[in-house]
């Protein structure tokens, strides 16, 4: 008989589940905050990756315009920036110089500039853009040209940016360091 009474005995337990529900609510709020932060971080990483890709594309296009490597163009940008030269027109300036050198014997004043520097067009051919400018800057420095004289010389190369004289006066080591 005892077995049948115990078998029929049913226990109903009650519990206060309010702390459990509050804990679950706090956890849910914290998880939502973590999810929001992770989402913001993902968006920031995506934006940085896009910006990086755009910067690489810009540098690659500029390097192609100069018949140069991306590393050479980036070195020119860095050296120009450190010298206080605006980098916005840098590719145009170097492209103008390349065009003037290529037109020696046909038109332009690049031959006069090279002669003043004691260089020939063949000294510059085959060099990357940063190496070409470094060689010219070495000669500008060796000749002791001031900013005005260097600006005039650069104008013969088709470079109208007067700030480029600041870079050239420092000599080629500034470009090589970059």
């Amino acid at each position: 008989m005892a077995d049948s009474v115990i078998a029929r005995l049913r226990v109903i337990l009650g519990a206060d589940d309010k702390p459990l529900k509050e804990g679950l609510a706090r956890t849910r709020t914290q998880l939502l905050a973590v999810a929001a932060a992770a989402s913001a971080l993902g968006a920031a990483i995506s934006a940085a990756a896009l910006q990086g890709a755009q910067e690489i594309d810009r540098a690659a296009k500029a390097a192609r315009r100069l018949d140069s490597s991306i590393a050479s163009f980036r070195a020119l940008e860095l050296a120009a920036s450190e010298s206080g030269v605006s980098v916005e027109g840098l590719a145009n300036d170097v492209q103008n110089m390349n065009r003037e050198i290529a037109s020696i014997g046909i038109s332009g004043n690049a031959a006069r500039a090279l002669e003043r520097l004691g260089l020939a067009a063949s000294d510059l051919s085959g060099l990357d853009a940063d190496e070409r400018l470094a060689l010219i800057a070495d000669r500008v420095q060796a000749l002791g040209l001031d900013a005005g004289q260097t600006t005039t010389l650069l104008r013969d190369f088709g470079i109208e940016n007067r700030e480029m004289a600041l870079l050239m006066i420092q000599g080629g080591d500034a470009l090589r360091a970059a």
Side-chain angles (χ1 to χ4, degrees), residues 9-25:
L9 180 62
R10 208 169 104 191
V11 177
I12 299 175
L13 296 174
D16 183 7
D17 64 350
K18 184 177 178 186
L20 178 62
K21 288 180 180 177
E22 288 172 352
L24 288 173

Side-chain angles (χ1 to χ4, degrees), residues 66-150:
L66 304 180
D67 192 28
S68 179
S69 67
I70 294 173
S72 172
F73 177 72
R74 296 294 290 162
L76 285 173
E77 276 191 319
L78 180 61
S81 176
E82 288 176 354
S83 298
V85 177
S86 169
V87 296
E88 281 76 31
L90 183 64
N92 289 337
D93 290 336
V94 176
Q95 191 175 25
N96 288 344
M97 182 186 74
N98 292 345
R99 184 186 62 242
E100 289 296 321
I101 291 170
S103 68
I104 290 176
I106 301 168
S107 66
N109 299 316
R112 178 175 58 202
L114 287 175
E115 182 180 330
R116 181 160 187 207
L117 292 172
L119 296 171
S122 60
D123 296 329
L124 302 174
S125 68
L127 297 178
D128 228 343
D130 60 331
E131 295 168 333
R132 266 178 273 158
L133 282 179
L135 180 58
I136 292 169
D138 284 339
R139 296 298 305 141
V140 165
Q141 188 179 45
L143 292 170
L145 301 181
D146 63 25
Q149 293 167 323
T150 304

